[in-house]
Amino acid sequence: MSIILLSLFLWVFWILAAGNSDLLTLIVGGVAAIFIGILWGKRLYVNSHKAFDIRRWFWALIFLFIFIWEIIKANFDVAYRVLHPKRPLSPGILYVKSQLKSTWGRVFLANAITLTPGTLTIDIQEDLLYIHCIRIKPNELSVLRNKIVARFDRYLIKIFD
Amino acid sequence: MLNIYIYILIASCFMCFIRAWLGKTIPDRMVAIDILGTLAVGFAAVWALITKQDIYMDIALAWIFLSFLGTLALAKYLSHQSLDE
Amino acid sequence: MAWNEWVGLAFIGVGVLFDALGCLGLLRFPDIYNRLQAGTKCVTFGTCGILLGILFHQGITTFGIKALLGIPFLLLTSPVGAHALARGAYKAGIPLWDKSVMDEYTQSESSRAE
């Protein structure tokens, strides 16, 4: 099943990138997509029951909007710190715990954390994420830990778990 | 209008070069090169718009993946692991 | 010019501005981890802005769709690259900035180079 999904995805990507729909283009792309799908399909940990669940796609759409909003906030935050003459930084590395179980969910959580205000994922071990944070107030540590994870965790659980 | 954008992008590229030159540590230079790769994608895209040739867009698409692979290889080298994992 | 070209040019302008800011951050910030933060966030957002602007400028043509295809891949690959570089730098023994507040990663087993 995941072989078919991967092949289909690659084929659609090929058609969009090629920009025309000659018979030859379609056939060459199809053959290549099926070949790569057979080679790599088993290694993608895709659960096809989850992939066809409409509710998960709905939550993914909501997650996308929140994600874009956070990226915009993050950029104005960084721009402020770059342009500020005194560079208001007090960086450090801390760990946070995530509730997510699936591999794909963790990948997306790490990417989302990297692109949001003042945080950069350094390492993932099972459910612990080590995060470099651009501004830490040591007396509000638990609030910060909560804020980093809770923003995305509850949506990603609904999407991937 | 688009010409001004190109000049700003060239200035950004020079800032990356300065960081790669000053460096201090090897990872600093690698970060500069990684970000230069992402900048090049934007540069190729704007250039495609100026020259009205969408082959530059293909270059931008390919560059995304190539700079990603290059960064991963450099990061592997940094952490002293073998390249087959 | 039609309205969509103006919107496209505005998006490209914002993108280019954030690209420049990210590179300025690359120069100004004190240590490699902070530089990665500035660089990755601003430059990724800026380049996505440029690609989105091209989509608006060109409409749904081959050109525009290629620009749209670039956005998700850029959003997927760029943070992973930054994450790998940060981890590699930590394992290579690059210290944090001396004004850093805390470091909980040293306790972890995998923070040392193999």
Side-chain angles (χ1 to χ4, degrees), chain B residues 23-43:
Chain B
K24 266 210 195 97
T25 60
I26 296 170
D28 275 327
R29 298 172 211 270
M30 286 182 184
V31 171
I33 298 301
D34 172 37
I35 286 165
L36 197 62
T38 316
L39 266 180
V41 174
F43 193 92

Side-chain angles (χ1 to χ4, degrees), chain A:
Chain A
M1 198 66 210
S2 61
I3 293 176
I4 298 171
L5 274 178
L6 180 64
S7 300
L8 210 62
F9 170 77
L10 286 172
W11 195 47
V12 171
F13 179 72
W14 165 270
I15 292 169
L16 287 177
N20 57 9
S21 50
D22 302 342
L23 193 61
L24 188 64
T25 316
L26 294 184
I27 290 171
V28 169
V31 170
I34 291 169
F35 183 63
I36 296 171
I38 290 168
L39 272 181
W40 290 96
K42 290 258 168 61
R43 302 207 182 184
L44 280 180
Y45 302 101
V46 174
N47 189 337
S48 47
H49 288 292
K50 290 181 186 173
F52 290 115
D53 195 338
I54 299 289
R55 276 169 303 165
R56 292 177 194 274
W57 288 99
F58 170 72
W59 283 111
L61 200 65
I62 290 179
F63 172 74
L64 190 69
F65 282 110
I66 290 169
F67 182 54
I68 291 171
W69 172 240
E70 292 287 340
I71 289 180
I72 293 170
K73 261 197 337 202
N75 278 281
F76 280 99
D77 181 67
V78 173
Y80 162 73
R81 284 177 211 287
V82 169
L83 293 175
H84 196 288
K86 280 183 193 152
R87 295 186 303 191
L89 305 170
S90 55
I93 298 177
L94 47 82
Y95 66 84
V96 294
K97 256 198 168 67
S98 157
Q99 314 272 312
L100 282 163
K101 297 280 187 296
S102 70
T103 328
W104 280 97
R106 280 178 191 154
V107 169
F108 272 85
L109 180 66
N111 278 5
I113 284 174
T114 300
L115 287 172
T116 47
T119 49
L120 175 85
T121 316
I122 290 186
D123 205 351
I124 308 178
Q125 281 161 20
E126 301 301 310
D127 58 345
L128 283 182
L129 284 93
Y130 291 90
I131 288 171
H132 180 270
C133 221
I134 210 166
R135 190 156 173 78
I136 294 177
K137 294 178 190 137
N139 46 358
E140 290 176 8
L141 216 54
S142 58
V143 181
L144 188 63
R145 272 187 231 270
N146 247 325
K147 215 174 88 185
I148 291 171
V149 170
R151 221 165 12 196
F152 300 117
D153 224 14
R154 53 190 157 146
Y155 299 106
L156 284 172
I157 279 179
K158 289 200 174 87
I159 297 170
F160 288 105
D161 273 1

